[in-house]
Amino acid sequence: DQRLSHKDMYMAMAELKNDLERKQLPPHELLARHVQQVQAQLAFVETLRDRTEHSLRAHLTDLEALLVEQVEAAAAILERKERRIHELSAANAALSKQAEERAEVAEREAARQAR
């Protein structure tokens, strides 16, 4: 509790001191101080904007690299899958042809045995 009251007293005294300084300063100096404060705030905002922009650009570059990497990996997987589909289609065609030939041979054998 004492810390708070001492802190409150300190803040009140600082505020009184600032008020007294303002009252003693001519209006143009008060305006100049205000302009300096605004300029300092603008400089801070500009610095913050620059840092944010730099950070966002770096993050965007990282995301682009990751996207390219993932697209390339997906393309490689797709290519392997397409190659496998073609291999299986060719094997299926060969097996179908063999099955047809065997069916024809079996049909001829059955016809020959029926005679």
Side-chain angles (χ1 to χ4, degrees):
D1 286 340
Q2 287 183 347
R3 279 188 187 172
L4 289 176
S5 63
H6 288 324
K7 184 179 178 182
D8 290 339
M9 286 176 51
Y10 176 78
M11 295 299 286
M13 288 176 63
E15 195 173 321
L16 282 172
K17 182 180 174 189
N18 285 338
D19 286 346
L20 286 173
E21 285 178 0
R22 283 191 200 115
K23 288 179 184 177
Q24 292 174 357
L25 290 176
H28 69 278
E29 286 188 32
L30 286 174
L31 184 58
R33 278 191 178 182
H34 183 66
V35 167
Q36 285 176 342
Q37 289 174 348
V38 169
Q39 287 173 336
Q41 290 171 347
L42 286 173
F44 173 75
V45 167
E46 179 129 349
T47 300
L48 186 61
R49 182 187 59 83
D50 289 345
R51 286 181 187 164
T52 302
E53 183 179 344
H54 176 73
S55 174
L56 288 173
R57 285 185 192 277
H59 189 60
L60 183 58
T61 301
D62 292 345
L63 287 175
E64 286 173 333
L66 182 61
L67 179 62
V68 166
E69 183 179 303
Q70 290 178 345
V71 166
E72 288 173 352
I77 290 170
L78 181 60
E79 186 178 322
R80 286 194 305 271
K81 297 290 182 186
E82 287 175 343
R83 205 174 320 124
R84 184 70 178 141
I85 287 170
H86 289 297
E87 290 170 1
L88 292 173
S89 293
N92 187 38
L95 289 173
S96 295
K97 186 175 181 180
Q98 281 180 353
E100 286 176 24
E101 289 172 355
R102 287 182 183 170
E104 289 174 6
V105 168
E107 192 178 299
R108 277 186 255 148
E109 283 293 320
R112 196 176 325 154
Q113 288 179 1
R115 291 187 215 158

